[in-house]
Amino acid sequence: MLWAAAPLPIPSLFDPLSRPADEIYVLSLLVLGVCAAIFVVVGGLLAYAVVRFRQRPGDADREPPQVYGSNQIELAWTVLPLLIVFVLFLVTTRTLIAIENAEPPADALEVRVIGHQWWWEFRYPEQGVVTANELHVPAGRATFLTLESADVVHSFWVPQLNGKTDVIPNRVNRMWIEPREPGLYLGQCAEFCGTQHAKMFLRVIAHPEAEFAAWVAAQTGEAVNDPAVRAGRDIFQSVACVNCHRIGGTVGAGVFGPDLTHLMSRDTIAAGAAANTPEMLRAWIVNPDAIKPGALMPAMQLEPTDLDHLVAYLTTLK
Ligand code: CUA
């Protein structure tokens, strides 16, 4: 992502910053430790056998002694792996249940997440906020997510906040995050969902409480209606944009594409595939395929002046 002025944080599983991610991190250390021990034992025995029992001069025609039916050895290599797998099964199940059965505390924020080919819709039912691709949440407080899909299977994954949860058509899944520190957390759709699966990025922005309240306040209400860009607003309302996009206060009420009412409050467009700048907005409207081949948004065949007006209008939607 070339436009990022500051280096983007690395979305590492080994740098958890949220309660469910902490538990997954501890579990992953245990699993990695057990696997490393098995690797050392098996690798060590193998290396020993290769060196100790390799062919030596004069061995050419002799069969090594053949060993059959050692009860001790058979028992050892049956029971030990069974025990190891059983222990891993128990601790994994305990972690899964602890994460999945969490009851939302009274102060938890509720957000509906809807996966689309290839972007994320976020709806805040209590706040009346609808946004896309950039999930804003308070830091230090739990956010419970209801995950639904508008089309195919996706998977919501922000490694520093929680594990993957699939987003499945005709099914509602639940998960929660609780970022400890304000900041930007990166994620990604983690289930192959079509050509632009790789450009179905996720951004979670955790704010201190007061800043989050200010963000919510800025996201409510209808779109800015600046008379200076009236021409662009008219173009938005008269071409096919309105079939897919909503802008509060205009005739545009489409639900197939992101809600653009507060478009300019986002850092990125196209689910994180491009920076939200006038140049990229323009490039996106002219030919979405150039940024995301296969994107479901059609290339809008606009006259250059109409395009200028439309982009000028969009950039007022704070
Ligand atoms: Cu959505 Cu992969």
Side-chain angles (χ1 to χ4, degrees):
M1 284 176 269
L2 297 170
W3 69 86
L8 287 169
I10 297 166
S12 171
L13 168 72
F14 297 103
D15 183 19
L17 284 166
S18 166
R19 240 192 315 152
D22 292 338
E23 301 193 24
I24 293 170
Y25 170 66
V26 170
L27 176 64
S28 71
L29 289 189
L30 174 77
V31 174
L32 280 175
V34 169
C35 292
I38 293 173
F39 176 78
V40 167
V41 169
V42 173
L45 286 175
L46 182 66
Y48 172 76
V50 164
V51 173
R52 173 80 178 71
F53 301 109
R54 72 179 187 275
Q55 192 181 44
R56 287 165 211 281
D59 279 355
D61 304 324
R62 273 198 300 128
E63 276 265 302
Q66 303 294 302
V67 181
Y68 296 103
S70 163
N71 282 343
Q72 280 104 322
I73 294 178
E74 299 272 353
L75 270 176
W77 68 41
T78 306
V79 173
L80 263 179
L82 270 180
L83 277 179
I84 293 170
V85 170
F86 187 63
V87 168
L88 291 182
F89 172 77
L90 287 185
V91 289
T92 306
T93 309
R94 196 188 61 181
T95 306
L96 271 178
I97 291 174
I99 293 172
E100 289 196 348
N101 290 4
E103 274 299 312
D107 69 345
L109 176 71
E110 283 283 343
V111 181
R112 263 180 82 197
V113 176
I114 302 158
H116 296 258
Q117 283 176 316
W118 291 279
W119 60 283
W120 299 96
E121 180 177 354
F122 301 122
R123 293 181 165 266
Y124 299 64
E126 277 166 48
Q127 289 75 14
V129 168
V130 180
T131 186
N133 301 317
E134 298 176 9
L135 174 64
H136 292 255
V137 298
R141 176 150 77 93
T143 296
F144 274 69
L145 307 174
T146 302
L147 305 154
E148 298 155 72
S149 171
D151 37 51
V152 300
V153 181
H154 305 271
S155 185
F156 186 97
W157 190 33
V158 184
Q160 287 180 288
L161 301 183
N162 200 338
K164 297 170 186 171
T165 305
D166 278 359
V167 180
I168 299 169
N170 300 316
R171 191 190 150 86
V172 176
N173 276 343
R174 290 277 280 167
M175 75 176 293
W176 61 289
I177 56 175
E178 196 185 72
R180 269 196 292 281
E181 293 165 19
L184 170 65
Y185 300 84
L186 296 182
Q188 158 80 50
C189 177
E191 182 74 46
F192 182 72
C193 54
T195 53
Q196 287 306 312
H197 157 70
K199 286 186 180 167
M200 191 165 165
F201 299 112
L202 267 163
R203 290 175 162 235
V204 176
I205 301 104
H207 299 276
E209 208 58 63
E211 203 179 289
F212 177 70
W215 179 83
V216 168
Q219 293 292 310
T220 42
E222 300 200 322
V224 172
N225 187 359
D226 181 350
V229 289
R230 166 127 224 136
R233 191 168 187 265
D234 289 344
I235 290 161
F236 172 79
Q237 298 195 98
S238 61
V239 297
C241 308
V242 294
N243 295 339
C244 294
H245 293 287
R246 177 178 173 275
I247 294 184
T250 73
V251 300
V255 294
F256 300 112
D259 187 310
L260 304 178
T261 307
H262 302 283
L263 172 66
M264 296 318 288
S265 67
R266 301 175 203 153
D267 290 334
T268 62
I269 57 171
N276 188 6
T277 60
E279 300 74 43
M280 291 312 291
L281 270 175
R282 192 187 168 90
W284 177 251
I285 296 165
V286 170
N287 185 13
D289 268 14
I291 295 168
K292 266 173 108 161
L296 299 185
M297 168 151 159
M300 303 305 290
Q301 311 288 330
L302 295 177
E303 297 297 329
T305 49
D306 288 354
L307 187 59
D308 292 342
H309 287 312
L310 181 59
V311 172
Y313 169 59
L314 291 176
T315 53
T316 65
L317 302 176
K318 300 283 194 277

